[in-house]
Amino acid sequence: METLKNFSIMFLGLFLLISSTLLSLTSGEIQRHQFVIQATPVKRLCNTHNRITVNGMFPGPTLEVRNGDSLEVKVVNKARYNVTIHWHGVRQMRTGWADGPEFVTQCPIRPGGSYTYRFTIQGQEGTLWWHAHSSWLRATVYGALIIRPRLGESYPFPKPNLETPIVLGEWWDANPIDVVREATRTGAAPNVSDAYTINAQPGDLYKCSSKDTRIIPIDAGETNLLRVINAALNQPLFFAVANHTLTVVGADATYIKPFTTSVLMLGAGQTTDVLIKADQRPARYYMAARAYQSAQNVPFDNTTTTAILEYKSSKKGNAPKPIMPFLPAYNDTNTVTAFSRSFRSPRKVQVPTEIDESLFFTVGLGLNNCPPNFRRSRCQGPNGTRLAASMNNVSFMLPRSISLLQAHQQGIPGVFTTDFPGTPPVKFDYTGNVSRTLFQPSTGTKLYKLKFGSRVQVVLQGTSIIAPENHPIHLHGYDFYIIAEGFGNFNPKRDTSKFNLVDPPLRNTVAVPANGWAVIRFVADNPGVWLMHCHLDVHITWGLAMAFLVENGVGELQSLPAPPSDLPLC
Ligand code: C2O
């Protein structure tokens, strides 16, 4: 009798254990937040300016969730600009209506309006972020999105003592919206930023900034997981911490086979998770970021932002100046190449080997000849032209009266076409001395249609038109494997043998080498309209974008549901 009772208690316990594990595996929590978009006085570099923020915070609120959790973020627009919020890197499986890019998946939230973004984090762990996806508002409207493992699960590395988001940004003394409007009017390159920032503070190498320099305290022997995010509008950045080695463990919310480095390079939009151990003499050490500038003879912000890693046992008060890290030269492409080649998935992954869609997209700048009815003041690009950018020679134009996703779902004609070319209309020596006749792109709202489930390969080929440059190409709604990178023109005969189909990194943004190429692969398993673009906002402004239209598959689980009832109207 006793044994039977014991047995049933044991059985009950086991049952409870199993069911609670199942529960935590299937259903996460729902987190609700409100983001009020509002003008807020912000003092930087000696002056106070009104800037658009979320809830008056700069940077905006950090969202902390677990894999499997759902987010409901009500965005209330109390600013005088249209706004949308994009959850950069979130896969948004069948929740394309919550992705956010203005006129792609929704019309903007007008001043006075609101919209609730609803989505679930599925199978992603690490660091992502959120930002405005309307004009250049993301200059100040951004924040970290931290995704921890499910309850009861742990990191694939020893648990760090501390975790700190390190959000790199750019600061303009001028209103960034005015900067982009002016550039759009003149056709010239916009002004560059006045400072870089770490967690929205420039740091003590800038005027009027030392007392607000960010301090990151640490105890000797502790390990901190730094979640580094490049939220800068227009600049890839190097990042290093004096005297400390960084162990890279993740990027774009995917784990990476750990490797050590003294310096990171993040293309705009990319995130990198690193472990840093306080194993040096107790003191104060700068963490610093400055430009990686691959385009030559182009003005850029060459300043340096700093924060201070401060050992708690180091002497305060009249402490000596912090130690400065070594940062690579602005144009040090070799360091960037070595760094990006170190990325591997932790184990063998399922890279698609059969390809249904083999695409080849050029990415680069261009020049538009000035229309005859334009004044000279509107033709301030090189030799009286207007600067442009394109993919496969198409300069992408957003619709203005409805979003692409609504037009697609409601079958509204005349908003877009599905003839985005799968290969460049003209083949040329992309990284050579390109003839001036090939500088002018066409303009259009062209999408590339993908059947649900198709296996896609895209060769992203940089061009040398005007200035070869490292372009951070970001795909919405997907992660992709980066199976190869190289310089010069991609050559299938020579370069296919270099494909890593074993353990390539999975990311949402690839830094395509200056004067080079990158090859990505993904499976089109998420129906909707998904923007792919250069994450340098100045290049999106000029048209360096396209969009994939991924069709529905079979049945509800492979189809995009109807839009939420509060989707903003145009
Ligand atoms: Cu973070 Cu369309 O981008």
Side-chain angles (χ1 to χ4, degrees):
M1 203 56 197
E2 232 358 56
T3 28
L4 189 65
K5 207 170 122 197
N6 277 343
F7 185 78
S8 51
I9 289 173
M10 234 173 67
F11 187 78
L12 183 73
L14 197 66
F15 174 77
L16 285 176
L17 188 76
I18 290 174
S19 52
S20 67
T21 329
L22 275 181
L23 203 69
S24 74
L25 277 179
T26 48
S27 57
E29 286 179 17
I30 303 180
Q31 271 197 27
R32 294 185 178 84
H33 297 275
Q34 175 151 286
F35 277 17
V36 179
I37 313 292
Q38 61 190 81
T40 307
V42 178
K43 186 170 184 203
R44 292 292 182 280
L45 309 180
C46 317
N47 292 304
T48 302
H49 307 268
N50 260 331
R51 286 292 177 272
I52 305 303
T53 67
V54 168
N55 302 345
M57 294 164 71
F58 182 47
T62 298
L63 301 180
E64 300 184 53
V65 300
R66 292 181 183 278
N67 183 8
D69 284 355
S70 298
L71 277 159
E72 287 188 16
V73 185
K74 180 173 186 185
V75 177
V76 179
N77 187 0
K78 293 196 175 154
R80 61 189 175 102
Y81 302 109
N82 289 340
V83 74
T84 67
I85 301 289
H86 167 54
W87 315 93
H88 180 113
V90 173
R91 288 259 358 238
Q92 299 287 10
M93 288 302 281
R94 297 174 52 245
T95 47
W97 301 109
D99 189 41
E102 167 178 77
F103 295 116
V104 178
T105 60
Q106 68 168 97
C107 293
I109 308 168
R110 304 292 180 191
S114 70
Y115 177 50
T116 302
Y117 293 85
R118 291 186 164 86
F119 55 92
T120 300
I121 306 292
Q122 285 175 277
Q124 299 187 283
E125 286 178 26
T127 306
L128 294 176
W129 59 300
W130 55 266
H131 61 78
H133 212 300
S134 178
S135 182
W136 280 19
L137 277 184
R138 78 171 179 87
T140 50
V141 179
Y142 62 80
L145 168 52
I146 293 173
I147 311 170
R148 300 213 167 79
R150 293 169 187 277
L151 265 182
E153 293 184 13
S154 50
Y155 297 128
F157 44 82
K159 190 173 189 305
N161 307 90
L162 308 157
E163 298 187 11
T164 311
I166 301 287
V167 194
L168 310 176
E170 267 171 296
W171 172 261
W172 270 263
D173 284 329
N175 180 348
I177 305 296
D178 296 341
V179 175
V180 65
R181 283 188 182 156
E182 176 68 4
T184 308
R185 190 181 63 79
T186 62
N191 286 344
V192 299
S193 56
D194 296 289
Y196 298 110
T197 54
I198 295 178
N199 295 344
Q201 285 295 343
D204 54 13
L205 305 185
Y206 295 90
K207 55 184 180 183
C208 308
S209 304
S210 37
K211 74 173 185 354
D212 296 313
T213 303
R214 299 288 183 188
I215 307 285
I216 288 101
I218 197 163
D219 258 330
E222 282 185 332
T223 299
N224 194 339
L225 171 59
L226 303 181
R227 301 171 176 276
V228 190
I229 300 167
N230 185 353
L233 232 62
N234 291 323
Q235 194 65 55
L237 293 166
F238 287 118
F239 173 85
V241 184
N243 294 17
H244 289 74
T245 300
L246 307 171
T247 304
V248 179
V249 294
D252 295 0
T254 308
Y255 295 117
I256 289 294
K257 180 183 282 179
F259 68 94
T260 58
T261 179
S262 58
V263 62
L264 312 179
M265 195 291 286
L266 293 98
Q270 293 184 316
T271 75
T272 307
D273 288 358
V274 299
L275 295 171
I276 180 171
K277 184 161 194 223
D279 56 4
Q280 296 297 305
R281 183 174 61 78
R284 300 162 80 226
Y285 300 89
Y286 274 130
M287 42 179 75
R290 74 172 186 190
Y292 164 48
Q293 176 66 13
S294 53
Q296 302 303 297
N297 306 316
V298 173
F300 68 100
D301 177 352
N302 63 2
T303 62
T304 305
T305 179
T306 54
I308 300 169
L309 180 73
E310 184 175 87
Y311 283 56
K312 288 180 198 156
S313 52
S314 68
K315 288 194 196 66
K316 306 268 163 48
N318 52 3
K321 256 190 139 327
I323 302 157
M324 191 66 191
F326 171 81
L327 285 162
Y330 298 113
N331 63 357
D332 188 351
T333 292
N334 288 339
T335 291
V336 174
T337 307
F339 177 66
S340 73
R341 289 193 177 159
S342 307
F343 281 73
R344 294 270 184 284
S345 279
R347 61 191 65 82
K348 190 176 180 338
V349 287
Q350 293 297 314
V351 189
T353 47
E354 313 273 293
I355 294 299
D356 305 303
E357 297 273 3
S358 184
L359 309 174
F360 188 105
F361 295 175
T362 58
V363 296
L365 303 187
L367 289 179
N368 277 325
N369 293 327
C370 217
N373 58 335
F374 273 32
R375 294 162 186 263
R376 280 196 46 200
S377 64
R378 298 192 59 191
C379 308
Q380 300 289 305
N383 307 315
T385 59
R386 293 175 58 81
L387 283 159
S390 66
M391 289 176 108
N392 273 354
N393 208 46
V394 185
S395 201
F396 191 72
M397 278 245 302
L398 288 170
R400 289 171 165 275
S401 55
I402 192 162
S403 72
L404 296 170
L405 191 57
Q406 287 166 289
H408 161 56
Q409 234 228 354
Q410 298 169 24
I412 300 170
V415 179
F416 61 82
T417 53
T418 52
D419 55 348
F420 185 86
T423 53
V426 181
K427 309 212 174 359
F428 57 96
D429 176 5
Y430 308 106
T431 54
N433 205 345
V434 183
S435 146
R436 177 72 177 76
T437 54
L438 292 167
F439 276 33
Q440 180 153 333
S442 65
T443 301
T445 309
K446 295 179 189 294
L447 275 49
Y448 192 92
K449 204 186 263 187
L450 293 173
K451 284 227 167 352
F452 184 91
S454 50
R455 296 154 294 185
V456 185
Q457 170 175 302
V458 189
V459 176
L460 295 160
Q461 172 70 59
T463 77
S464 59
I465 292 173
I466 304 175
E469 183 169 1
N470 183 298
H471 294 280
I473 302 295
H474 171 51
L475 175 58
H476 285 229
Y478 286 90
D479 287 330
F480 47 72
Y481 290 108
I482 305 174
I483 60 170
E485 287 180 13
F487 290 97
N489 296 321
F490 176 77
N491 176 342
K493 288 204 194 74
R494 181 194 62 199
D495 297 323
T496 311
S497 64
K498 296 178 195 147
F499 286 0
N500 175 3
L501 302 176
V502 179
D503 58 357
L506 184 66
R507 303 200 67 161
N508 63 55
T509 306
V510 55
V512 179
N515 253 327
W517 48 268
V519 185
I520 62 170
R521 285 187 183 182
F522 63 96
V523 178
D525 59 359
N526 192 10
V529 175
W530 304 107
L531 193 63
M532 182 158 83
H533 64 87
C534 179
H535 216 281
L536 305 173
D537 270 20
V538 55
H539 293 174
I540 319 178
T541 307
W542 291 337
L544 216 173
M546 58 79 67
F548 287 107
L549 192 170
V550 180
E551 296 178 319
N552 286 337
V554 182
E556 208 183 319
L557 290 177
Q558 298 183 354
S559 301
L560 182 76
S565 57
D566 62 338
L567 190 75
L569 300 173
C570 274

